[in-house]
């Protein structure tokens, strides 16, 4: 008691990384714009990342402007596959051309989100 333990900027950053003090709670709808630094499509059911940022997705994208976040969406044979295939095609063309892209996503973890829309900015 009676001891002051001040927090530093590094302490706040670490708390944010592990999910405390996050500005956007899980389930928030967020928009971000940036240049694709990483784009990958992988096998069904293999997922990406570790808890609490695990994504049950087949397409993963990261932006240069947000290097600590991963975004993704499923590319499964269901009613949404045509829309998701178009999203993947738009991501690929932006990646190849070095153009920025806009992602609308739902936060699913402190550093992860499920993409619901891909568009040109």
């Amino acid at each position: 008691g009676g001891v002051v333990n001040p927090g530093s900027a590094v302490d706040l950053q670490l708390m944010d990384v592990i999910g405390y003090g996050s500005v956007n709670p899980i389930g928030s709808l967020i928009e971000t714009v940036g240049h694709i630094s990483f784009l990958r499509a992988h096998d069904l059911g293999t997922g990406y990342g570790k808890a609490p940022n695990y994504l049950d997705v087949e397409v993963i994208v990261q932006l240069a402007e947000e290097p600590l976040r991963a975004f993704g969406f499923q590319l499964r044979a269901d009613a949404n596959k045509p829309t998701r295939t178009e999203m993947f095609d738009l991501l690929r063309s932006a990646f190849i051309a070095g153009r920025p892209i806009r992602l609308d996503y739902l936060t699913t973890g402190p550093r992860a989100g499920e993409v619901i829309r891909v568009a040109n900015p």
Side-chain angles (χ1 to χ4, degrees):
V3 176
V4 176
N5 293 313
S8 70
V10 173
D11 293 328
L12 294 175
Q13 186 179 18
L14 288 172
M15 293 298 284
D16 185 45
V17 166
I18 62 174
Y20 291 95
S22 178
V23 177
N24 304 311
I26 304 301
S28 297
L29 178 59
I30 310 294
E31 174 187 296
T32 189
V33 175
H35 294 83
I36 300 169
S37 59
F38 179 78
L39 179 62
R40 181 177 93 178
H42 56 93
D43 295 332
L44 174 69
T46 55
Y48 181 83
K50 295 182 180 181
N53 294 304
Y54 177 77
L55 290 167
D56 180 23
V57 297
E58 288 78 53
V59 175
I60 300 295
V61 62
Q62 289 181 302
L63 302 177
E65 292 78 1
E66 296 198 47
L68 298 179
R69 293 194 188 278
F71 311 97
F73 57 92
Q74 296 177 344
L75 198 56
R76 299 180 183 172
D78 60 15
N80 294 320
K81 187 173 181 181
T83 300
R84 292 178 179 148
T85 299
E86 287 181 26
M87 291 183 351
F88 185 54
D89 291 342
L90 186 56
L91 287 171
R92 274 194 309 199
S93 66
F95 182 58
I96 291 167
R99 291 189 324 261
I101 199 77
R102 187 182 91 204
L103 301 177
D104 296 338
Y105 68 95
L106 294 172
T107 55
T108 58
R111 299 278 181 222
E114 180 183 345
V115 176
I116 59 169
R117 185 176 311 126
V118 175
N120 290 310

